[in-house]
Amino acid sequence: MKRYDVIIVGGGHNGLACAAYLARAGRKVLVLERRERVGGAAMSEEVFPGFRFSVFSYVVSLLRPEIIRELELPRHGLHILPLESTLTPLQNGDYLAQWSDHDQNRRELARHSVRDAEAYDEFGLLLHRMARAIKPLLKVAPPDPASLAPRELWDLWRLGRYFRGMAQKDLHALWKLLTMSAADYLDEWFEGEALKGTKSASGIIGTLLGPRSPGTAYVLLHHYMGELDGVFRAWGFAKGGNGSVSAAIAAAAQAHGADIRTQAPVSKILVSGNRATGVVLGGGDELRAPIVISGADPRRTFLGLVGEQHLPDEFLAAIRRYKFRGSSAKVNLALGELPRFTCLPEPGPHLRGAVSISPSVEYLERAYDDAKYGEISRRPYMDIVIPSMLDPAMAPPGKHVMSIFVQYAPYHLNGGWSDARREQLGDTVVDTLAEYAPNLKSAILHRQVVTPADIERIVGLSEGNIFQGELTLQQMFFLRPAPAWARYRTPIDGLYQCGSGTHPGGGVMGASGRNAAMAILGARA
Amino acid sequence: MLKTTPFHERTAALCASHAWRRWAGHLVASCYELTHEREYHVIRAAAALFDVSPLYKYRVRGRDAARLLDMVVTRNVRKAAVGQVLYTPWCDHAGKVIDDGTVARLDETTFRMTAAEPNQRWLQDNAAGLDVEITDVSDSVAALSLQGPNAGSILESLGAPPLKYFRIAPATLAGIPVTVSRTGYTGDLGYEIWTDARNALRLWDALIAAGRPYGIMPAGMLALDMARIEAGLMLIDVDYVPARKALIDSQLSSPFELDLAWTVDLAKERFVGRDALLAEKARGPAWQFVGVEIEWNSLERLYLDVGLATRLPSAAWRMSVPIYADGEQAGYATSGGWSPVLKKYIALAHLRSRWATPGTPLEIEITVEHRRKRAAAQVVKKPFFDPPRKRS
């Protein structure tokens, strides 16, 4: 039987990226994936004949450019098609569009507010600088300010020097972004409700927080870090759906010699004398390796696969406290025709970008109010894309697929999730969207509704949290997932983590997988 | 969609080249004919008519209008007489230029400001507590620029009163109420004519009709670009990065570094950027914005070496070109071209102050048959072209 240096639990995009980097460095790597295909939540599936859905995650923006480069992902099939615009239909029949063309965008913003049109560029420039300021943090294992370990002190010194080099006004802006709510932060810049609503939506994705909750300004910045080909804030759609991202990383890993086994669920991580020694598969087979890396989230990894008896109390307490609180759902539609939005009924370039149901901050905050007390938002926030507009192969000729990201659909729903509640969510989403695009209902050929409970059941993300744990400041950087254990290591020797539950967190970013590999290889990122 | 100007119906019909470019979100002609050559020569030999409507224009009115503008721009607006026009940059609090344009005093309490970028928010934010009304009249005011030695005669034939350099006055041309300013972007005798956008086509037709005996021709941005380089006039986004768009500090420029010291009135008690500019004045600017002339013989030699006759750019270029002095990089040129009227190869350049004195020998990078070479050049005084008729 083949002997492996490394076993990776979970074939999500981070597990695959970690495998690719380790295999590239000459390690013998085995990836074990529970499901019949790799990708985790970055997965495409023909759910309805002829219609391919990015069932869970659906856009690419945060995927680290160095991963695309170093793993040669375009050679392994990755083609990212740019999303060009964001359309926010309004309840009064008007709309706010944000276009990629600067002149077109300025003109459209000025139609709503001359001041906002002017502030927009300055705001973009500031967030660009902030994203650049944060970027060095994404590539390194986060040092703990309280640590005295020489390696961490060295990293801290480097970061400290870096931040001292920042202009004072940038440092002030960064502090605000780290502490304020998205709504308050945007109030400092803009007056238009639709613009503030749409921008603040980036601040709430994947959290059970509202746009007026402190800390959400940072999540806004996190989403601004989308960077493709050196262009900040470029959002794209992977040809073939987000499964293509995973497939390309998997192909890169295999090209470097990694083995990938699907339908190979891991039931247990073997620990002997505080050392990981291998895994037990669902069928009872044991596989041994000196290094085990878990791509599963911290709760599943430690409370599920490792077992509490092997872990120190303080660490256990931190993992138990680590917040998931999934709050988002997906509705995927197969459409017989394009939606006709009341504000822009004819097919046009606005359908090649995102459509955001976020008419105001208040709309989002009300959506959050429902979720705060355990209910589905009566009027949810939605981020919609029509992948078949960019990649016609996603649907039969002339037909379309629509991907709807929905928030809030709290994991901890009053009365719990059931088939009836799932359909209720689907109805709420379709009803709400049909207020803006009346032909929607008659255009639907097939509907797939994915609740946080479904995400947990199918992909294994605890509480259906798309980021493997909320991206809130108390569990970011050197606190992710637990104080003193943020550098991909764990209290068990030879056991590492590489999922989004580690720094720098979620989105189809791949940084956790790469950083973990680098930490294991002892190389500086 | 891009915006069109109030003159589009006329300019589109004339634009045989179909060469359009963008200016502040508007479509404007690069050249009307198939090449811009005649349009350029008309500026220097007859009269060229430019559609300059895409300029951002603000009407600033009220008891504190002069106070606000005096606070925002570097020149002294309070001292401006009614009917006077000031060219001026304006700065952020760090004394770095965010835009440049003109401020015209239409009456005691009414001004019109032109700008390359939108500035409504900036003006409003600086107007806190002041009795002033700021109106964006960019779309409602149409503007034409009539430039060239015959420009004055054409306006005179339409009954416009005589105007001194950088003065503005109301007038009625062919029954159309306008304001005429003796301003422009060519360094020649020239005027700009401002009117309600609804009168735009009538004004265009009247000027073309009156100008025909004087050789008037509509001209596009390619011709204008060469003329403004000859005039030594800088262009935002080309010759300097406005402070609002700078990604790093080294992209910022102060008025002193742009050869605009003459526009900075440090005797004013308060204006945005004053403290920083005072400090910079004391230590001296690190950079200067200068004219550079490329020496023909040196240029010719580079081409002769590869068996070619000297090649000259057919239109003005706008890119960053390294300039060397004493064996190191002394700076960079940002626009340049062959001046047909001067028969000289000229450029506008940023140089570190120690190399900025007129007469300083330089070398400028030039690509000859795919290879980078250096041609001899020297610092010269701006403007390159400065005919007495401009001010007389």
Side-chain angles (χ1 to χ4, degrees):
Chain A
M1 194 173 142
K2 190 167 171 182
R3 296 181 66 85
Y4 289 99
D5 300 322
V6 177
I7 289 173
I8 296 179
V9 181
H13 74 282
N14 272 315
L16 294 168
C18 188
Y21 278 98
L22 292 172
R24 194 174 75 139
R27 303 293 194 278
K28 293 190 182 65
V29 181
L30 174 66
V31 179
L32 298 170
E33 168 55 42
R34 178 171 58 94
R35 302 188 66 215
E36 64 283 359
R37 75 187 76 198
V38 294
M43 187 269 274
S44 314
E45 200 166 11
E46 186 172 323
V47 174
F48 186 64
F51 294 84
R52 288 180 68 78
F53 292 153
S54 289
V55 178
F56 306 100
S57 75
Y58 59 102
V59 285
V60 187
S61 73
L62 305 172
L63 183 60
R64 299 303 311 154
E66 61 270 20
I67 295 177
I68 297 177
R69 236 172 15 242
E70 290 161 357
L71 298 182
E72 301 179 272
L73 297 186
R75 190 165 73 80
H76 292 292
L78 181 66
H79 179 183
I80 295 170
L81 304 161
L83 282 165
E84 294 167 22
S85 59
T86 302
L87 177 80
T88 307
L90 304 179
Q91 282 142 326
N92 64 5
D94 195 359
Y95 63 87
L96 172 79
Q98 294 171 70
W99 301 103
S100 58
D101 181 82
H102 179 257
D103 288 327
Q104 194 181 12
N105 191 51
R106 175 177 275 177
R107 186 181 182 184
E108 167 65 4
L109 293 173
R111 195 168 68 82
H112 297 266
S113 158
V114 169
R115 286 181 64 84
D116 286 0
E118 283 180 44
Y120 195 86
D121 289 347
E122 278 183 69
F123 178 80
L125 191 73
L126 180 72
L127 285 209
H128 173 102
R129 280 210 305 270
M130 293 300 101
R132 276 190 48 208
I134 289 278
K135 194 178 152 181
L137 289 178
L138 297 184
K139 285 213 264 184
V140 300
D144 185 341
S147 166
L148 292 173
R151 170 74 186 271
E152 299 203 19
L153 283 177
W154 164 252
D155 284 351
L156 264 181
W157 180 79
R158 280 204 315 182
L159 278 180
R161 201 178 57 159
Y162 174 77
F163 280 106
R164 269 210 315 281
M166 275 175 87
Q168 194 179 34
K169 63 177 179 175
D170 286 352
L171 204 57
H172 294 168
L174 186 59
W175 186 257
K176 284 183 169 189
L177 280 165
L178 290 175
T179 54
M180 288 175 84
S181 76
D184 282 345
Y185 191 74
L186 290 164
D187 273 341
E188 293 195 352
W189 284 91
F190 301 116
E191 57 189 18
E193 278 306 318
L195 184 61
K196 284 192 283 187
T198 304
K199 288 235 170 272
S200 72
S202 311
I204 56 163
I205 304 269
T207 69
L208 192 66
L209 294 171
R212 291 181 185 147
S213 311
T216 48
Y218 173 75
V219 189
L220 195 138
L221 178 63
H222 189 86
H223 282 83
Y224 252 83
M225 271 180 282
E227 179 191 1
L228 289 170
D229 301 329
V231 180
F232 279 83
R233 279 198 58 234
W235 286 73
F237 171 79
K239 183 163 169 31
N242 260 8
S244 304
V245 178
S246 306
I249 300 173
Q254 285 168 322
H256 286 298
D259 287 339
I260 299 171
R261 279 169 65 180
T262 53
Q263 293 178 294
V266 171
S267 61
K268 196 173 169 196
I269 292 171
L270 289 168
V271 177
S272 164
N274 201 43
R275 202 175 167 90
T277 57
V279 299
V280 182
L281 291 179
D285 290 348
E286 289 188 7
L287 294 171
R288 302 270 169 181
I291 291 177
V292 175
I293 308 170
S294 174
D297 67 53
R299 183 185 293 174
R300 281 177 68 88
T301 300
F302 297 108
L303 308 186
L305 299 173
V306 172
E308 302 182 3
Q309 69 277 19
H310 296 294
L311 295 164
D313 290 350
E314 218 174 307
F315 179 78
L316 264 179
I319 295 297
R320 286 201 193 99
R321 275 197 301 267
Y322 182 78
K323 280 188 167 39
F324 289 92
R325 304 193 301 181
S327 60
S328 40
K330 266 301 285 295
V331 174
N332 300 309
L333 301 177
L335 299 177
E337 61 172 350
L338 283 169
R340 298 170 71 85
F341 286 91
T342 309
C343 58
L344 278 173
E346 297 309 317
H350 60 285
L351 297 180
R352 293 200 299 256
V355 178
S356 181
I357 304 300
S358 50
S360 66
V361 168
E362 183 175 323
Y363 177 97
L364 299 188
E365 190 69 20
R366 283 190 189 283
Y368 172 58
D369 285 346
D370 292 329
K372 203 159 45 175
Y373 302 107
E375 291 300 329
I376 298 166
S377 302
R378 279 166 287 189
R379 289 279 183 282
Y381 159 67
M382 294 180 235
D383 183 46
I384 301 156
V385 291
I386 307 173
S388 47
M389 283 295 287
L390 301 170
D391 177 9
M394 298 295 284
K399 308 253 192 302
H400 289 279
V401 285
M402 180 186 264
S403 161
I404 309 172
F405 173 89
V406 186
Q407 204 161 316
Y408 302 78
Y411 175 83
H412 297 286
L413 186 68
N414 294 335
W417 284 99
S418 63
D419 288 349
R421 297 305 295 275
R422 182 191 299 115
E423 293 317 306
Q424 182 206 336
L425 171 64
D427 291 345
T428 300
V429 165
V430 169
D431 288 345
T432 306
L433 188 53
E435 291 173 14
Y436 301 92
N439 73 326
L440 182 73
K441 287 185 187 179
S442 63
I444 296 174
L445 304 174
H446 181 80
R447 177 172 101 181
Q448 178 190 43
V449 183
V450 183
T451 69
D454 298 326
I455 296 173
E456 180 179 64
R457 178 174 49 82
I458 300 167
V459 190
L461 291 169
S462 293
E463 300 183 23
N465 184 289
I466 60 172
F467 294 146
Q468 287 201 349
E470 283 188 304
L471 278 188
T472 45
L473 284 167
Q474 81 274 16
Q475 42 193 44
M476 293 289 300
F477 303 117
F478 52 89
L479 298 176
R480 192 170 184 91
W485 297 104
R487 289 165 73 104
Y488 311 100
R489 285 187 294 271
T490 69
I492 312 281
D493 293 338
L495 176 65
Y496 294 83
Q497 304 172 82
C498 71
S500 301
T502 62
H503 174 82
V508 186
M509 198 182 229
S512 292
R514 180 180 181 273
N515 287 358
M518 295 302 163
I520 290 162
L521 293 169
R524 295 208 157 264
Chain B
M1 286 296 290
L2 289 173
K3 290 187 188 178
T4 53
T5 77
F7 300 103
H8 189 71
E9 210 179 306
R10 294 290 181 273
T11 57
L14 289 164
C15 191
S17 69
H18 285 258
W20 298 89
R21 74 163 64 170
R22 291 188 194 198
W23 176 9
H26 293 74
L27 209 51
V28 291
S30 292
C31 57
Y32 291 92
E33 299 196 335
L34 300 185
T35 70
H36 70 279
E37 212 177 338
R38 251 163 54 90
E39 295 171 19
Y40 163 80
H41 285 287
V42 161
I43 303 172
R44 300 302 182 209
L49 187 63
F50 299 94
D51 177 1
V52 294
S53 305
L55 280 169
Y56 285 92
K57 310 167 211 88
Y58 299 95
R59 192 184 60 207
V60 181
R61 187 150 71 178
R63 197 163 49 89
D64 293 328
R67 209 168 139 199
L68 166 66
L69 290 168
D70 198 61
M71 173 78 82
V72 169
V73 307
T74 55
R75 286 191 72 182
N76 193 317
V77 179
R78 294 195 208 211
K79 279 194 200 156
V82 170
Q84 191 177 349
V85 184
L86 307 175
Y87 166 77
T88 183
W90 50 100
C91 296
D92 64 9
H93 291 278
K96 305 301 182 184
V97 177
I98 53 183
D99 203 342
D100 66 303
T102 59
V103 172
R105 188 161 208 167
L106 303 179
D107 62 40
E108 203 50 49
T109 54
T110 309
F111 294 80
R112 181 161 57 223
M113 183 185 204
T114 65
E117 290 281 323
N119 275 280
Q120 172 107 352
R121 181 169 176 259
W122 184 246
L123 290 172
Q124 280 175 348
D125 288 351
N126 281 287
L130 296 185
D131 177 10
V132 61
E133 175 197 47
I134 301 150
T135 315
D136 183 343
V137 294
S138 305
D139 290 340
S140 57
V141 173
L144 289 173
S145 180
L146 184 63
Q147 303 283 311
N150 293 350
S153 306
I154 295 170
L155 289 178
E156 201 182 330
S157 76
L158 282 167
L163 268 183
K164 287 193 171 141
Y165 191 52
F166 269 83
R167 293 287 155 165
I168 188 166
T172 305
L173 303 183
I176 306 158
V178 299
T179 49
V180 181
S181 58
R182 188 159 162 195
T183 49
Y185 198 46
T186 61
D188 215 303
L189 171 66
Y191 300 82
E192 287 168 313
I193 304 126
W194 317 81
T195 192
D196 189 301
R198 287 169 294 195
N199 301 327
L201 297 181
R202 279 170 59 217
L203 177 64
W204 176 279
D205 295 341
L207 284 168
I208 291 286
R212 199 158 285 135
Y214 298 95
I216 195 173
M217 243 181 90
M221 295 298 116
L222 286 169
L224 183 62
D225 210 18
M226 195 60 234
R228 67 96 191 164
I229 293 170
E230 291 169 342
L233 300 171
M234 65 179 194
L235 179 56
I236 192 170
D237 290 329
V238 171
D239 296 307
Y240 75 97
V241 180
R244 289 191 193 120
K245 294 187 193 167
L247 291 166
I248 49 176
D249 287 353
S250 64
Q251 293 174 340
L252 299 163
S253 297
S254 75
F256 298 121
E257 292 172 326
L258 296 174
D259 197 25
L260 295 176
W262 66 276
T263 65
V264 182
D265 183 359
L266 289 170
K268 288 200 293 180
E269 213 171 287
R270 272 181 73 196
F271 65 93
V272 180
R274 182 178 181 270
D275 292 350
L277 290 172
L278 213 53
E280 186 178 347
K281 170 105 179 175
R283 66 173 182 271
W287 292 84
Q288 300 278 336
F289 187 59
V290 303
V292 167
E293 188 183 319
I294 294 134
E295 285 173 20
W296 175 266
N297 290 338
S298 167
L299 189 67
E300 187 175 46
R301 165 65 48 196
L302 294 176
Y303 281 96
L304 278 177
D305 284 348
V306 296
L308 287 173
T310 311
R311 290 197 176 171
L312 296 168
S314 59
W317 47 259
R318 24 173 90 178
M319 58 184 158
S320 180
V321 176
I323 291 181
Y324 301 87
D326 301 331
E328 58 181 297
Q329 188 165 353
Y332 53 96
T334 44
S335 6
W338 174 253
S339 164
V341 70
L342 299 170
K343 299 290 178 239
K344 282 178 178 170
Y345 193 166
I346 56 173
L348 296 172
H350 299 265
L351 294 180
R352 289 196 183 277
S353 295
R354 52 188 275 221
W355 288 296
T357 320
T360 306
L362 306 167
E363 288 185 316
I364 187 166
E365 189 175 288
I366 180 151
T367 302
V368 178
E369 279 302 287
H370 325 295
R371 286 173 195 278
R372 289 181 184 184
K373 307 284 184 184
R374 292 180 190 181
Q378 64 165 320
V379 180
V380 297
K381 281 191 69 156
K382 290 187 288 145
F384 301 95
F385 180 73
D386 196 16
R389 63 178 177 254
K390 178 172 90 176
R391 295 164 182 273
S392 66

